[in-house]
Every structure is written in C-alpha cells, then in structure tokens.
Amino acid sequence: MTDIAPRATRVVASTGGRRRHRGGGPRGRTIAAFLTPFFLPFVLFYLVPVGYAIWQSFLVVRRTGGQYGTSYTTFGGFEQYTKVFQNDEFWSSIGRIGLFGVVQVPVMLFVALIMALLLDTPLLKLKSFFRITAFMPYAVPGVIAAIMWSYLYSPQISPLVDGLKSVGLHPDFLGPGAVLWSAANVSTWLWTGYNMLIMFSALQSIPQELYEAAKLDGASNWAIAWQIKVPIIAPSIILTTVFSIIGTLQLYAEPAVLRQISSNISSTYTPNMLAYAVASGNNYQQAAAISVVIAVITFVLSFGFMRLTSKKAGL
Amino acid sequence: MSNTVTRIRLAVVAAAAGVAVLAGCSSPAPSSDASAASCEPAKGKVTLQYWNTVPGMDKVVALWNKKNPDIQVQMKNISNDQYGTIGNALKAGKAPELAQVGYDELPFLRTQNAFVDASACSAATAAKSKFVPWTWSQSSFGGTGVFALPQDTGPMALYVRSDIFKKHGLDIPKTWDDYAADAQKLHKADPGLSITFFDPNNAEAFNGLLWQNSAQMYKYSGDKWHVSVASDQSKQVADYWQKLIDAKLVRTDLAHGSTQMYTAYQKNQIASYVGAAWGYSMFRDNLPDQAGKWSIVPMPTWGANAASGDWGGSTVAFMKGNKHLYESVKFNSWLNTDPEALALENKLGGLYPAATAGSKLPALSQGVPYYNNEKIFDVFADSSKNIDTDFSWGPTQKTVNLSLQDAMAKAAAGSGTLSDALSAAQATALKSMKDQAIPATAGK
C-alpha cells in the first residue's frame, strides 16, 4: 500500500522524461484530451471488433451429446485458415475480383483524370455545372445506384435495352460473360466523379506561374497537361488508385443487388459475398477467417502498390 | 515516450481485455433442450414476447390482448432480417417466448439449442390432432417433443392460363410427361410463348418439387444424419427440368416474384405457374386485368398416385428461456387453431393455415372471384393431404440451399446440369454439418 504513490510518480517522471519543452505535463494532457474523443471510439468500434474477428477465426465448433446436444467453440489453431486456402470458391472469387480490378480501376481513373484535366482548362465554360454533374453519382448510395442500373439492364423493362433493340442490337447485360462488366459499369458510374474531384482539387493547388513559365518556353496546352499537371498530381492519382484497390476487394453492394435479377451472380461471387454467405449459415469462425484473409490481401496489395510508386508519389 | 503513446498502449491492453471478455462469452454452453420444462400457470399477469414477419399480425395480437387481460402479448415484426434477429437474440440470451420459424429452419435452429420442449403442457400435445399431419411431424421432430406449433403452409398446385391452353387446344396435364408434351406444343405454335419459367435462384421452390417425388433428402437415425440430397428421386426431377431447359421450353431468366416475372406474365409470354397456396394473391394483386383467365389445378404427378409438395410456410416456436410455457401454449394454439384468428391472418397476411380447421373458413371454402369463382382452396386442401409426411429438412438447410442455387444457376447458364447441382448440394450438406460438428453420413 505504501509504495503506490512513489510508483505513480515514477510513471509520470518517465513519461515526461524526454520532453524538450518545460511544463510538458499539462500540454501532454491537453493533447491527450483532444485525442481521446478519436481514440476511444476507434478502440471500441474498430480495434475491438477486429481483434474479436481475429480471435474468432482461430476457433472451431465442437459438440457434445449428438446433434441436439451442446455445441461449444474451442481453439482450433489454423484449421479455419486451412479451409479458406482449400476453398476453390474463395480463390475463384478473388480471381474474379482481380479481373474486375485490373480492368475497371485503370479505366475509371483514366476517365477521371481526363475529366479533371478538361475541367482545369481555361477554355471550358460552365465549370461548376460540369463539376457538380460529374460528382453527383457519388451522392447516390451504392445500393440505390445498383437498383437503378438493374432496372436499366433488365431485358423485360429497360428503356435502354428497348432502345438498342430498335437499332438492331441485342445486348444481354446480365449474361454469364457480361454481368461482371455490368457491375463494373455501376462502380465506374458511381466513383468516377469522386476520383475526378480529388484529382481536380490537386490541380487547383498548382501555382499558375508554372503554366506561365511553360507557355513562355513554348509549351502547348497538351504538353502542359501531360508533362506538368499529371506528374505534379501523381500523389493524388496514387491515392485514388489505392482507394480503388481497397474498394474493389471489398466489392459487395453492386453484385449483391444485381444478383436479384441475374442468376449469373452466385452467392459467392465476390470475397465479401462469400464471407456473408458463410456467416449466414452460422459458420462465424469460417467467415471471420475469410474476412481476415481478405483484409491481409487488401493490405498487401494497397501497400505493395504504394511501395512501388512511392518514389514517384513522394509519399 | 509521450502520453499519447502510453494511452495507445493502454487502449490496446484494454482492447485485448475486451476481446478476452467477449471471448469468454463466445462459447455458450447451454443445457440441452431434451428435458421438457414444467408447465405451471403463472400467478398474476404475464407478458409474452412474440416475433414474426406476418403483415397485419398486430391486429390479431390486439384481438387476443382485448380478450385476455392476464396474458398480454407484445409483438415485434422482424421481417427485415428474421433469422439474423432471432440468432442474435439467442446469442445474447434474450430470445422472445415465441418466434416465427420456417419449417426448413427448424432443424438448424434446434442444433443451436433455440427451442424448449413444451410437451409438459397437455394442451400442447393435444394440439396434434388439429394440424395437417406433415406439419406436426416437422414441428415435433417426428413426435419427439413439441417445439413449435404449425402456423401456415404452402401446398403446391399448378396455376394455368386456361384461355391460352384453350386457344392452343391443350388438355390440363395430369402427369409431368403430359406437361412436357404441352410445353412442346406451345413452343411449336408460338416460339415467344413458354409453358413456365424455372428460377435457378430459388431452392425453396425446387425443394418443393423434390418433396413431391418422395425425395427424402435427410433422415435422422442412430444418432446421425443420413444425407441423400442427390438420390434417384431427386435426380429424376432434376433431369426432367434439365431437358425442358435444354430444349428452351422453359424460361430461366426470370427471378420468382420479380417485376420481370410479372411483366412476362403480363405480356402473355408464359402459360402456367407451378406455385404454392400463398401465390393466389400474388397474381390477383399484381395482374388484375388477367382476372378470369387463371385456373388452379393439382400439380402434375410422376406416377399414377396423387402426390404433392410444399413450398414455404412457418411455425410459431417455443423459444429457449421461455418461463411461461403454460400461457405461451394457450396463446400459440389460439393463434393457430382459432377460427377467428385464422380468418384474420388469412385476410390480412394471406396465410394459408396449417390447422385442419382452416379449410372450413368462409374465405377458404368459397369461390374466388379472380379465379372464375372457382373454389381454388379445395385444390390446395387436397394437395395438402397428399404431402409426404416423412420428409425432413436438414440442419444446415440455408447453406445447402445457397449452394444448390449457385450450381443450378450455372446449369441454367449452360455449365453443368441440375443433377450436378444436386451433387454439389450433397457435398455442401456434408461439409457444412461437419463444420457445425453435427454427425452426418452419406446415403439413406
């Protein structure tokens, strides 16, 4: 009992030990006070659930007393992970999403970049109108967008399909080969404007003097766009790429909604849908393991991409 | 080291502690449901919780509450996530006294120790005679206890566009072979016309078709499940529909109950519908201008004997932790056998009752205007009598259904067959039971 107070002072002393400024104690407390509102929910609603999921992924279900006896969970080591790695459906969903990402992400970002560069030219009139219009799809929740597009894809009721029919085209947006790209189209429609806005904001912060100097050197608008603007906003292009990689791996809403009208989307179409389907069958431990593997793959891919491009990005 | 870092470290420790606490309760070890609870009436007023997904059920509960001041029922509609809500409540130990559970989810929930056996109440065991036999055998798990009382069913029948059949000179098909022949004739006469559609993403409907052919996919005996999802009876059904799909005689591009489905019927592209009793209101409400053009006839059969299947329907289950079994049984049997309650549920929620008394309700014994004033419910009552009582659902039915749907969709898109889909479902059934540590073996 008696040595509690000294120990407490030792702790305080050790934390304040390396401070350069005098009277650091109160200041440190102020910083802490400002950070607590962030850290407390962050821990409660982020770290704890993540930790819980990781913990769950190491458990297996056992049962005593036959099928209607008692089920309990026990530590099973990497059993759930072994099942994930042996699950063909998991890897084919990863492959599908890989194909989706390799095509959709570059297309979307390229379109976003072109739009941002066009918005940034002095030649364009009605800038704010175009900016708002391009950004507007982002204001639509993903599920709603997917429902809207389902209506446009649906052969029975779509004015789009009817219109194409009248010019002799018979597209099957929901067919086995096309449905992945129909989903990609929904994602592209949703996110292009958002990515464009990030790039456009970066363009806005480039000092005008640079352009004047380039013009004096005889650079065309084209050269200014590709040789000055694009390299300068490279960090924001990389940032949007990382966001898009993460978004792609977590794709859920678009295919899940399209699944209502197309039988060519299975319940295990994307990794997240697979995790959901497994969880809905009460196999929470397996679903947790799938989620952890998805998270690790996402982490590796996004950080890998950042490392690859970090020199360019100056990150 | 700054204060912030210390705080983060503390937070991490706290988080880890939180995980440990959560993990502590992640492994429920509930007592088995095998021991029947006691059935003592409570002293004084009792309030029961009842969760369901039936439209208009609040009016039925209000009627009960008015008549029974001492047994008050509070209801909650959980239609947005029925089994998720029930599952979470069970995990938290906060299950209601009574909850609506579909027949195909009963075995699964019982493996999760979700129910309590009400057979200590004489009123519960006595209710057996009031229900259609197959519903009782499923809710009592073959007579081993009373875990739920049946509420509604979906005996199947064939909905026919009699005007289209007449126009093309077709008779009402008695067997599935007749039906296939009709499909051929229709398609020859008009390529834009199909006899019906097959929704590969609808395992429930397909299970009903399998049930009709005595495909008993699950049997529990000798302390383990015997799984035969891909039996010869199942494969006969699968091969039949595969032939129709291959010959492009049935549409596979319509999801059941979707706008697209109704549009196809609206445009007179489809001449019949293999459906359940609760489907009568779908056509009546969604295709009002086809009034008088529809008839309902018995399902085509595989052999000479009348046999039918069921698609859908629910029970009201006695949930674990129920401390008021006596009152719960009282309310539950009123809810599902009392003519006044049944009439109200049919009118507001479109339920087709599992109680045998249901067929005597005025609404279910008169002609229905939309269907040419035919007494369509007589057809469903007969169908209900011809449903195999030995059919049992599996303890991981939801997972198996998903896997069956995925494989059926592939078959409809041209890779593999419906028979392969059954084999995939068989494999999934065994695998998912193993994941839940439920003893199972392949074969009958």
Side-chain angles (χ1 to χ4, degrees), chain A residues 239-263:
Chain A
L239 187 75
T240 49
T241 312
V242 170
F243 283 171
S244 306
I245 289 172
I246 295 171
T248 301
L249 277 152
Q250 299 189 343
L251 191 70
Y252 179 86
E254 293 88 342
V257 170
L258 287 178
R259 187 166 180 257
Q260 310 291 329
I261 56 162
S262 170
S263 54

Side-chain angles (χ1 to χ4, degrees), chain A residues 179-202:
Chain A
V179 77
L180 182 66
W181 308 117
S182 297
N185 175 54
V186 180
S187 299
T188 308
W189 181 84
L190 262 173
W191 291 96
T192 305
Y194 167 85
N195 290 315
M196 175 207 81
L197 215 62
I198 291 180
M199 295 175 194
F200 180 69
S201 311

Side-chain angles (χ1 to χ4, degrees), chain B residues 168 183-193:
Chain B
H168 293 282
Q184 197 83 44
K185 276 183 205 154
L186 273 183
H187 196 67
K188 247 206 191 92
D190 179 358
L193 183 61

Side-chain angles (χ1 to χ4, degrees), chain A residues 15 18-19 28-29 31-32 35-36 39 43 48 51-52 55-56 59 61-63 67-73 83 154 156-157 176 259-264 266-268 277 280-284, chain B residues 1-4 6-8 11 15 19 22-23 26-30 32 91 108 110-113 141 200-201 220 225 251 255 260 263-264 267 269 398-399 402 405-406 409 413 435-438:
Chain A
T15 52
R18 284 212 206 130
R19 289 257 163 70
R29 269 202 290 281
I31 293 171
L35 285 172
T36 310
F39 270 105
V43 169
V48 171
Y52 183 63
W55 165 248
Q56 283 282 314
L59 300 177
V61 175
R62 296 277 182 265
R63 200 172 279 273
Q67 62 149 352
Y68 298 139
T70 308
S71 68
Y72 59 95
T73 50
K83 278 183 185 154
S154 187
Q156 298 286 329
I157 45 182
R259 187 166 180 257
Q260 310 291 329
I261 56 162
S262 170
S263 54
N264 295 309
S266 65
S267 64
T268 59
S280 77
N282 222 48
N283 197 345
Y284 295 111
Chain B
M1 203 173 89
S2 72
N3 256 344
T4 332
T6 318
R7 271 183 192 255
I8 296 173
V19 170
L22 285 168
S26 77
S27 182
S32 154
K91 269 200 163 51
F108 166 70
R110 200 177 157 198
T111 60
Q112 308 295 317
N113 283 302
F141 290 83
N201 256 326
Y220 186 69
W225 285 95
R251 295 268 295 265
Q260 291 80 355
T263 310
K267 292 181 175 170
Q269 293 168 348
K398 196 193 283 179
T399 306
L402 272 181
Q405 281 169 189
D406 287 348
D435 284 347
Q436 299 286 330
I438 297 167

Side-chain angles (χ1 to χ4, degrees), chain B residues 71-380:
Chain B
I71 307 175
Q72 289 293 291
V73 177
Q74 286 182 342
M75 71 147 269
K76 182 162 109 175
N77 186 302
I78 52 169
S79 40
N80 55 359
D81 184 15
Q82 184 181 0
Y83 298 109
T85 312
I86 291 173
N88 291 340
L90 283 165
K91 269 200 163 51
K94 290 190 169 63
E97 276 82 7
L98 298 162
Q100 176 186 336
V101 176
Y103 294 98
D104 53 355
E105 284 290 310
L106 283 170
F108 166 70
L109 277 169
R110 200 177 157 198
T111 60
Q112 308 295 317
N113 283 302
F115 306 132
V116 57
D117 181 2
S119 45
C121 303
S122 54
T125 44
K128 178 181 176 176
S129 60
K130 297 179 178 167
F131 294 101
V132 174
W134 72 262
T135 62
W136 187 263
S137 84
Q138 288 194 12
S139 56
S140 69
F141 290 83
T144 53
V146 183
F147 300 94
L149 294 185
Q151 179 162 65
D152 68 313
T153 61
M156 293 174 83
L158 184 67
Y159 293 58
V160 176
R161 272 288 296 270
S162 27
D163 59 325
I164 297 181
F165 268 58
K166 249 194 214 87
K167 184 180 156 193
H168 293 282
L170 300 178
D171 293 329
I172 296 297
K174 288 272 179 289
T175 65
W176 285 112
D177 285 343
D178 297 348
Y179 191 67
D182 286 349
Q184 197 83 44
K185 276 183 205 154
L186 273 183
H187 196 67
K188 247 206 191 92
D190 179 358
L193 183 61
S194 304
I195 194 149
T196 190
F197 70 100
F198 181 90
D199 176 7
N201 256 326
N202 195 329
E204 287 84 2
F206 192 66
N207 285 333
L209 297 170
L210 298 178
W211 191 342
Q212 185 203 16
N213 200 25
S214 318
Q216 292 161 8
M217 297 183 265
Y218 303 91
K219 268 257 179 304
Y220 186 69
S221 69
D223 278 341
K224 61 159 101 59
W225 285 95
H226 298 261
V227 186
S228 52
V229 176
S231 66
D232 292 348
Q233 287 93 332
S234 306
K235 286 197 160 145
Q236 186 184 6
V237 178
D239 292 342
Y240 174 84
W241 288 96
Q242 187 64 49
K243 274 203 191 89
L244 292 180
I245 292 170
D246 289 343
K248 302 256 186 291
L249 296 176
V250 295
R251 295 268 295 265
T252 55
D253 59 332
L254 303 171
H256 182 267
S258 64
T259 317
Q260 291 80 355
M261 179 194 95
Y262 290 119
T263 310
Y265 278 106
Q266 187 69 49
K267 292 181 175 170
N268 304 321
Q269 293 168 348
I270 306 181
S272 72
Y273 166 77
V274 182
W278 41 260
Y280 85 96
S281 57
M282 292 180 8
F283 284 82
R284 184 194 62 194
D285 302 341
N286 287 286
L287 302 164
D289 44 359
Q290 293 190 352
K293 295 179 176 173
W294 285 96
S295 299
I296 295 179
V297 298
M299 274 235 281
T301 55
W302 291 104
N305 298 336
S308 192
D310 178 271
W311 170 13
S314 287
T315 67
V316 177
F318 301 101
M319 303 304 282
K320 196 177 74 182
N322 188 324
K323 301 271 183 296
H324 301 296
L325 271 183
Y326 176 84
E327 292 77 11
S328 299
V329 169
K330 221 171 157 168
F331 167 69
N332 200 345
S333 49
W334 174 86
L335 187 72
N336 294 315
T337 61
D338 181 88
E340 198 180 0
L342 295 181
L344 208 51
E345 287 154 22
N346 173 262
K347 184 168 158 250
L348 303 169
L351 298 190
Y352 184 76
T356 44
S359 57
K360 293 176 192 65
L361 293 178
L364 297 180
S365 46
Q366 293 164 355
V368 180
Y370 182 86
Y371 296 91
N372 273 330
N373 281 321
E374 287 170 24
K375 294 187 175 178
I376 58 167
F377 292 106
D378 291 358
V379 179
F380 291 119

